Amino acid sequence: SDQLQVPETLITQLDNGIRVVSQETYGQMTTFGLLTGVGSRHEPKPGIVHTLETMAFGATEHYDGMTITNLLQDWGATRFVSHSREQTLHCIDILRPNVDAGMELLAEVVLEPKFGESLEEFYFALDTMAFQAQEQIPQ
């Protein structure tokens, strides 16, 4: 049969307890992410999770925000972060040959973010959130 098979979703568990959900999509791009059990219901004051979401993929132990942006562009990647009441999802869409580098970057972004080094980054996040909150009038 010359046709592609219907993708099978596999759920496996690593020795450290992390669950991995995977599916072959036969495309040039790969999407991977990290889902954590931290959402807005866990924040001590409203808005903290949204601020962290806005600041995600900023500075880490080894990279500043601009370097991360440039790496993602060089790898043919985009990133997104989303949160709900219960969870936060950090994702990268990336060209397949660059998956290993992207995974390392995602791990660093989630496990070693650097907040507070620059107030400029924080104020940029606040400006972004203010813009998001504006009522956008359809044209």
PDB file of all heavy atoms in Angstrom, residues 26-54:
ATOM      1  N   TYR A  26       4.167  12.459   9.586  1.00  0.00           N
ATOM      2  CA  TYR A  26       4.727  12.370   8.241  1.00  0.00           C
ATOM      3  C   TYR A  26       5.046  13.730   7.628  1.00  0.00           C
ATOM      4  O   TYR A  26       5.184  13.840   6.431  1.00  0.00           O
ATOM      5  CB  TYR A  26       3.793  11.584   7.307  1.00  0.00           C
ATOM      6  CG  TYR A  26       3.402  10.233   7.857  1.00  0.00           C
ATOM      7  CD1 TYR A  26       2.132  10.012   8.359  1.00  0.00           C
ATOM      8  CD2 TYR A  26       4.323   9.197   7.885  1.00  0.00           C
ATOM      9  CE1 TYR A  26       1.779   8.779   8.874  1.00  0.00           C
ATOM     10  CE2 TYR A  26       3.980   7.960   8.404  1.00  0.00           C
ATOM     11  CZ  TYR A  26       2.704   7.761   8.892  1.00  0.00           C
ATOM     12  OH  TYR A  26       2.357   6.542   9.413  1.00  0.00           O
ATOM     13  N   GLY A  27       5.152  14.758   8.421  1.00  0.00           N
ATOM     14  CA  GLY A  27       5.430  16.087   7.893  1.00  0.00           C
ATOM     15  C   GLY A  27       6.868  16.503   8.127  1.00  0.00           C
ATOM     16  O   GLY A  27       7.642  15.822   8.786  1.00  0.00           O
ATOM     17  N   GLN A  28       7.228  17.661   7.569  1.00  0.00           N
ATOM     18  CA  GLN A  28       8.569  18.209   7.746  1.00  0.00           C
ATOM     19  C   GLN A  28       8.737  18.867   9.115  1.00  0.00           C
ATOM     20  O   GLN A  28       9.839  19.051   9.589  1.00  0.00           O
ATOM     21  CB  GLN A  28       8.865  19.239   6.660  1.00  0.00           C
ATOM     22  CG  GLN A  28       8.937  18.653   5.284  1.00  0.00           C
ATOM     23  CD  GLN A  28       9.198  19.725   4.230  1.00  0.00           C
ATOM     24  OE1 GLN A  28       9.430  20.886   4.548  1.00  0.00           O
ATOM     25  NE2 GLN A  28       9.168  19.330   2.987  1.00  0.00           N
ATOM     26  N   MET A  29       7.607  19.242   9.707  1.00  0.00           N
ATOM     27  CA  MET A  29       7.634  19.912  11.003  1.00  0.00           C
ATOM     28  C   MET A  29       7.272  18.927  12.117  1.00  0.00           C
ATOM     29  O   MET A  29       6.527  17.979  11.903  1.00  0.00           O
ATOM     30  CB  MET A  29       6.632  21.062  11.039  1.00  0.00           C
ATOM     31  CG  MET A  29       6.894  22.166  10.026  1.00  0.00           C
ATOM     32  SD  MET A  29       8.395  23.088  10.362  1.00  0.00           S
ATOM     33  CE  MET A  29       7.919  24.056  11.774  1.00  0.00           C
ATOM     34  N   THR A  30       7.811  19.196  13.278  1.00  0.00           N
ATOM     35  CA  THR A  30       7.489  18.437  14.477  1.00  0.00           C
ATOM     36  C   THR A  30       7.027  19.428  15.532  1.00  0.00           C
ATOM     37  O   THR A  30       7.581  20.515  15.656  1.00  0.00           O
ATOM     38  CB  THR A  30       8.728  17.685  14.996  1.00  0.00           C
ATOM     39  OG1 THR A  30       9.120  16.725  14.020  1.00  0.00           O
ATOM     40  CG2 THR A  30       8.457  16.995  16.308  1.00  0.00           C
ATOM     41  N   THR A  31       6.022  19.042  16.273  1.00  0.00           N
ATOM     42  CA  THR A  31       5.560  19.852  17.399  1.00  0.00           C
ATOM     43  C   THR A  31       5.791  19.058  18.668  1.00  0.00           C
ATOM     44  O   THR A  31       5.450  17.884  18.747  1.00  0.00           O
ATOM     45  CB  THR A  31       4.065  20.179  17.273  1.00  0.00           C
ATOM     46  OG1 THR A  31       3.842  20.895  16.060  1.00  0.00           O
ATOM     47  CG2 THR A  31       3.592  21.027  18.451  1.00  0.00           C
ATOM     48  N   PHE A  32       6.402  19.688  19.640  1.00  0.00           N
ATOM     49  CA  PHE A  32       6.557  19.050  20.943  1.00  0.00           C
ATOM     50  C   PHE A  32       6.357  20.111  22.007  1.00  0.00           C
ATOM     51  O   PHE A  32       6.507  21.302  21.766  1.00  0.00           O
ATOM     52  CB  PHE A  32       7.910  18.343  21.092  1.00  0.00           C
ATOM     53  CG  PHE A  32       9.099  19.214  20.847  1.00  0.00           C
ATOM     54  CD1 PHE A  32       9.633  19.980  21.864  1.00  0.00           C
ATOM     55  CD2 PHE A  32       9.680  19.262  19.594  1.00  0.00           C
ATOM     56  CE1 PHE A  32      10.732  20.789  21.630  1.00  0.00           C
ATOM     57  CE2 PHE A  32      10.783  20.062  19.350  1.00  0.00           C
ATOM     58  CZ  PHE A  32      11.305  20.820  20.371  1.00  0.00           C
ATOM     59  N   GLY A  33       5.968  19.650  23.170  1.00  0.00           N
ATOM     60  CA  GLY A  33       5.702  20.598  24.236  1.00  0.00           C
ATOM     61  C   GLY A  33       5.809  19.957  25.592  1.00  0.00           C
ATOM     62  O   GLY A  33       5.996  18.747  25.725  1.00  0.00           O
ATOM     63  N   LEU A  34       5.672  20.782  26.580  1.00  0.00           N
ATOM     64  CA  LEU A  34       5.713  20.341  27.956  1.00  0.00           C
ATOM     65  C   LEU A  34       4.482  20.894  28.652  1.00  0.00           C
ATOM     66  O   LEU A  34       4.257  22.106  28.663  1.00  0.00           O
ATOM     67  CB  LEU A  34       6.986  20.852  28.635  1.00  0.00           C
ATOM     68  CG  LEU A  34       7.198  20.407  30.067  1.00  0.00           C
ATOM     69  CD1 LEU A  34       7.394  18.889  30.116  1.00  0.00           C
ATOM     70  CD2 LEU A  34       8.400  21.091  30.656  1.00  0.00           C
ATOM     71  N   LEU A  35       3.684  19.999  29.182  1.00  0.00           N
ATOM     72  CA  LEU A  35       2.464  20.368  29.893  1.00  0.00           C
ATOM     73  C   LEU A  35       2.721  20.218  31.382  1.00  0.00           C
ATOM     74  O   LEU A  35       3.093  19.135  31.848  1.00  0.00           O
ATOM     75  CB  LEU A  35       1.312  19.463  29.455  1.00  0.00           C
ATOM     76  CG  LEU A  35      -0.049  19.752  30.051  1.00  0.00           C
ATOM     77  CD1 LEU A  35      -0.581  21.085  29.533  1.00  0.00           C
ATOM     78  CD2 LEU A  35      -1.017  18.628  29.708  1.00  0.00           C
ATOM     79  N   THR A  36       2.568  21.301  32.118  1.00  0.00           N
ATOM     80  CA  THR A  36       2.770  21.265  33.570  1.00  0.00           C
ATOM     81  C   THR A  36       1.444  21.499  34.274  1.00  0.00           C
ATOM     82  O   THR A  36       0.573  22.182  33.753  1.00  0.00           O
ATOM     83  CB  THR A  36       3.786  22.333  34.018  1.00  0.00           C
ATOM     84  OG1 THR A  36       3.358  23.614  33.551  1.00  0.00           O
ATOM     85  CG2 THR A  36       5.167  22.033  33.471  1.00  0.00           C
ATOM     86  N   GLY A  37       1.311  20.926  35.429  1.00  0.00           N
ATOM     87  CA  GLY A  37       0.083  21.056  36.203  1.00  0.00           C
ATOM     88  C   GLY A  37       0.041  22.332  37.017  1.00  0.00           C
ATOM     89  O   GLY A  37      -0.240  22.313  38.214  1.00  0.00           O
ATOM     90  N   VAL A  38       0.322  23.457  36.374  1.00  0.00           N
ATOM     91  CA  VAL A  38       0.297  24.764  37.036  1.00  0.00           C
ATOM     92  C   VAL A  38      -0.535  25.704  36.178  1.00  0.00           C
ATOM     93  O   VAL A  38      -0.212  25.940  35.025  1.00  0.00           O
ATOM     94  CB  VAL A  38       1.718  25.336  37.204  1.00  0.00           C
ATOM     95  CG1 VAL A  38       1.666  26.715  37.838  1.00  0.00           C
ATOM     96  CG2 VAL A  38       2.580  24.393  38.017  1.00  0.00           C
ATOM     97  N   GLY A  39      -1.602  26.204  36.745  1.00  0.00           N
ATOM     98  CA  GLY A  39      -2.467  27.125  36.028  1.00  0.00           C
ATOM     99  C   GLY A  39      -2.874  28.281  36.909  1.00  0.00           C
ATOM    100  O   GLY A  39      -2.364  28.461  38.020  1.00  0.00           O
ATOM    101  N   SER A  40      -3.820  29.054  36.424  1.00  0.00           N
ATOM    102  CA  SER A  40      -4.208  30.272  37.138  1.00  0.00           C
ATOM    103  C   SER A  40      -4.822  29.988  38.503  1.00  0.00           C
ATOM    104  O   SER A  40      -4.768  30.835  39.384  1.00  0.00           O
ATOM    105  CB  SER A  40      -5.163  31.102  36.276  1.00  0.00           C
ATOM    106  OG  SER A  40      -6.314  30.350  35.949  1.00  0.00           O
ATOM    107  N   ARG A  41      -5.374  28.809  38.712  1.00  0.00           N
ATOM    108  CA  ARG A  41      -5.956  28.533  40.035  1.00  0.00           C
ATOM    109  C   ARG A  41      -4.884  28.371  41.108  1.00  0.00           C
ATOM    110  O   ARG A  41      -5.168  28.431  42.295  1.00  0.00           O
ATOM    111  CB  ARG A  41      -6.865  27.308  39.990  1.00  0.00           C
ATOM    112  CG  ARG A  41      -6.198  25.993  40.129  1.00  0.00           C
ATOM    113  CD  ARG A  41      -7.251  24.873  40.164  1.00  0.00           C
ATOM    114  NE  ARG A  41      -6.627  23.620  40.498  1.00  0.00           N
ATOM    115  CZ  ARG A  41      -6.709  23.055  41.691  1.00  0.00           C
ATOM    116  NH1 ARG A  41      -7.402  23.619  42.651  1.00  0.00           N
ATOM    117  NH2 ARG A  41      -6.112  21.909  41.917  1.00  0.00           N
ATOM    118  N   HIS A  42      -3.627  28.199  40.705  1.00  0.00           N
ATOM    119  CA  HIS A  42      -2.535  28.017  41.650  1.00  0.00           C
ATOM    120  C   HIS A  42      -1.835  29.321  42.019  1.00  0.00           C
ATOM    121  O   HIS A  42      -0.958  29.320  42.877  1.00  0.00           O
ATOM    122  CB  HIS A  42      -1.498  27.047  41.068  1.00  0.00           C
ATOM    123  CG  HIS A  42      -2.065  25.718  40.713  1.00  0.00           C
ATOM    124  ND1 HIS A  42      -2.412  25.379  39.421  1.00  0.00           N
ATOM    125  CD2 HIS A  42      -2.391  24.660  41.478  1.00  0.00           C
ATOM    126  CE1 HIS A  42      -2.889  24.157  39.411  1.00  0.00           C
ATOM    127  NE2 HIS A  42      -2.904  23.688  40.639  1.00  0.00           N
ATOM    128  N   GLU A  43      -2.197  30.430  41.372  1.00  0.00           N
ATOM    129  CA  GLU A  43      -1.461  31.670  41.610  1.00  0.00           C
ATOM    130  C   GLU A  43      -1.947  32.363  42.879  1.00  0.00           C
ATOM    131  O   GLU A  43      -3.141  32.398  43.161  1.00  0.00           O
ATOM    132  CB  GLU A  43      -1.542  32.590  40.397  1.00  0.00           C
ATOM    133  CG  GLU A  43      -2.932  32.994  39.995  1.00  0.00           C
ATOM    134  CD  GLU A  43      -2.977  33.683  38.642  1.00  0.00           C
ATOM    135  OE1 GLU A  43      -1.944  33.835  37.979  1.00  0.00           O
ATOM    136  OE2 GLU A  43      -4.084  34.074  38.254  1.00  0.00           O
ATOM    137  N   PRO A  44      -1.006  32.929  43.645  1.00  0.00           N
ATOM    138  CA  PRO A  44      -1.395  33.620  44.877  1.00  0.00           C
ATOM    139  C   PRO A  44      -2.100  34.951  44.606  1.00  0.00           C
ATOM    140  O   PRO A  44      -2.895  35.397  45.419  1.00  0.00           O
ATOM    141  CB  PRO A  44      -0.070  33.839  45.604  1.00  0.00           C
ATOM    142  CG  PRO A  44       0.977  33.745  44.561  1.00  0.00           C
ATOM    143  CD  PRO A  44       0.438  32.868  43.472  1.00  0.00           C
ATOM    144  N   LYS A  45      -1.787  35.584  43.473  1.00  0.00           N
ATOM    145  CA  LYS A  45      -2.442  36.835  43.083  1.00  0.00           C
ATOM    146  C   LYS A  45      -2.797  36.733  41.605  1.00  0.00           C
ATOM    147  O   LYS A  45      -1.985  36.257  40.803  1.00  0.00           O
ATOM    148  CB  LYS A  45      -1.522  38.036  43.315  1.00  0.00           C
ATOM    149  CG  LYS A  45      -1.245  38.288  44.774  1.00  0.00           C
ATOM    150  CD  LYS A  45      -0.503  39.578  44.979  1.00  0.00           C
ATOM    151  CE  LYS A  45      -0.268  39.736  46.475  1.00  0.00           C
ATOM    152  NZ  LYS A  45      -0.131  41.090  46.870  1.00  0.00           N
ATOM    153  N   PRO A  46      -3.978  37.194  41.217  1.00  0.00           N
ATOM    154  CA  PRO A  46      -4.390  37.102  39.811  1.00  0.00           C
ATOM    155  C   PRO A  46      -3.406  37.806  38.876  1.00  0.00           C
ATOM    156  O   PRO A  46      -2.898  38.879  39.179  1.00  0.00           O
ATOM    157  CB  PRO A  46      -5.752  37.810  39.793  1.00  0.00           C
ATOM    158  CG  PRO A  46      -6.233  37.764  41.197  1.00  0.00           C
ATOM    159  CD  PRO A  46      -5.012  37.795  42.065  1.00  0.00           C
ATOM    160  N   GLY A  47      -3.123  37.163  37.739  1.00  0.00           N
ATOM    161  CA  GLY A  47      -2.279  37.757  36.716  1.00  0.00           C
ATOM    162  C   GLY A  47      -0.864  37.231  36.665  1.00  0.00           C
ATOM    163  O   GLY A  47      -0.150  37.471  35.694  1.00  0.00           O
ATOM    164  N   ILE A  48      -0.434  36.505  37.685  1.00  0.00           N
ATOM    165  CA  ILE A  48       0.953  36.025  37.716  1.00  0.00           C
ATOM    166  C   ILE A  48       1.209  35.023  36.594  1.00  0.00           C
ATOM    167  O   ILE A  48       2.210  35.117  35.872  1.00  0.00           O
ATOM    168  CB  ILE A  48       1.307  35.425  39.093  1.00  0.00           C
ATOM    169  CG1 ILE A  48       1.307  36.538  40.143  1.00  0.00           C
ATOM    170  CG2 ILE A  48       2.644  34.704  39.052  1.00  0.00           C
ATOM    171  CD1 ILE A  48       1.499  36.067  41.556  1.00  0.00           C
ATOM    172  N   VAL A  49       0.303  34.061  36.407  1.00  0.00           N
ATOM    173  CA  VAL A  49       0.499  33.052  35.363  1.00  0.00           C
ATOM    174  C   VAL A  49       0.489  33.704  33.983  1.00  0.00           C
ATOM    175  O   VAL A  49       1.296  33.356  33.121  1.00  0.00           O
ATOM    176  CB  VAL A  49      -0.557  31.933  35.463  1.00  0.00           C
ATOM    177  CG1 VAL A  49      -0.492  30.996  34.271  1.00  0.00           C
ATOM    178  CG2 VAL A  49      -0.358  31.136  36.747  1.00  0.00           C
ATOM    179  N   HIS A  50      -0.387  34.687  33.775  1.00  0.00           N
ATOM    180  CA  HIS A  50      -0.420  35.385  32.493  1.00  0.00           C
ATOM    181  C   HIS A  50       0.897  36.133  32.262  1.00  0.00           C
ATOM    182  O   HIS A  50       1.432  36.154  31.155  1.00  0.00           O
ATOM    183  CB  HIS A  50      -1.608  36.341  32.442  1.00  0.00           C
ATOM    184  CG  HIS A  50      -1.832  36.937  31.088  1.00  0.00           C
ATOM    185  ND1 HIS A  50      -2.690  37.971  30.879  1.00  0.00           N
ATOM    186  CD2 HIS A  50      -1.306  36.668  29.875  1.00  0.00           C
ATOM    187  CE1 HIS A  50      -2.689  38.307  29.599  1.00  0.00           C
ATOM    188  NE2 HIS A  50      -1.851  37.527  28.975  1.00  0.00           N
ATOM    189  N   THR A  51       1.433  36.726  33.297  1.00  0.00           N
ATOM    190  CA  THR A  51       2.718  37.424  33.178  1.00  0.00           C
ATOM    191  C   THR A  51       3.830  36.443  32.823  1.00  0.00           C
ATOM    192  O   THR A  51       4.639  36.696  31.927  1.00  0.00           O
ATOM    193  CB  THR A  51       3.071  38.165  34.481  1.00  0.00           C
ATOM    194  OG1 THR A  51       1.997  39.048  34.815  1.00  0.00           O
ATOM    195  CG2 THR A  51       4.362  38.945  34.343  1.00  0.00           C
ATOM    196  N   LEU A  52       3.863  35.289  33.501  1.00  0.00           N
ATOM    197  CA  LEU A  52       4.877  34.281  33.210  1.00  0.00           C
ATOM    198  C   LEU A  52       4.720  33.739  31.787  1.00  0.00           C
ATOM    199  O   LEU A  52       5.706  33.491  31.088  1.00  0.00           O
ATOM    200  CB  LEU A  52       4.810  33.141  34.225  1.00  0.00           C
ATOM    201  CG  LEU A  52       5.207  33.510  35.653  1.00  0.00           C
ATOM    202  CD1 LEU A  52       4.983  32.334  36.586  1.00  0.00           C
ATOM    203  CD2 LEU A  52       6.640  33.995  35.714  1.00  0.00           C
ATOM    204  N   GLU A  53       3.472  33.577  31.343  1.00  0.00           N
ATOM    205  CA  GLU A  53       3.211  33.133  29.972  1.00  0.00           C
ATOM    206  C   GLU A  53       3.776  34.144  28.971  1.00  0.00           C
ATOM    207  O   GLU A  53       4.411  33.781  27.988  1.00  0.00           O
ATOM    208  CB  GLU A  53       1.710  32.966  29.753  1.00  0.00           C
ATOM    209  CG  GLU A  53       1.313  32.634  28.339  1.00  0.00           C
ATOM    210  CD  GLU A  53      -0.192  32.602  28.143  1.00  0.00           C
ATOM    211  OE1 GLU A  53      -0.942  32.321  29.093  1.00  0.00           O
ATOM    212  OE2 GLU A  53      -0.623  32.863  27.009  1.00  0.00           O
ATOM    213  N   THR A  54       3.555  35.417  29.250  1.00  0.00           N
ATOM    214  CA  THR A  54       4.020  36.475  28.354  1.00  0.00           C
ATOM    215  C   THR A  54       5.546  36.561  28.342  1.00  0.00           C
ATOM    216  O   THR A  54       6.153  36.853  27.309  1.00  0.00           O
ATOM    217  CB  THR A  54       3.414  37.827  28.771  1.00  0.00           C
ATOM    218  OG1 THR A  54       1.993  37.689  28.808  1.00  0.00           O
ATOM    219  CG2 THR A  54       3.778  38.928  27.808  1.00  0.00           C
TER     220      THR A  54
END
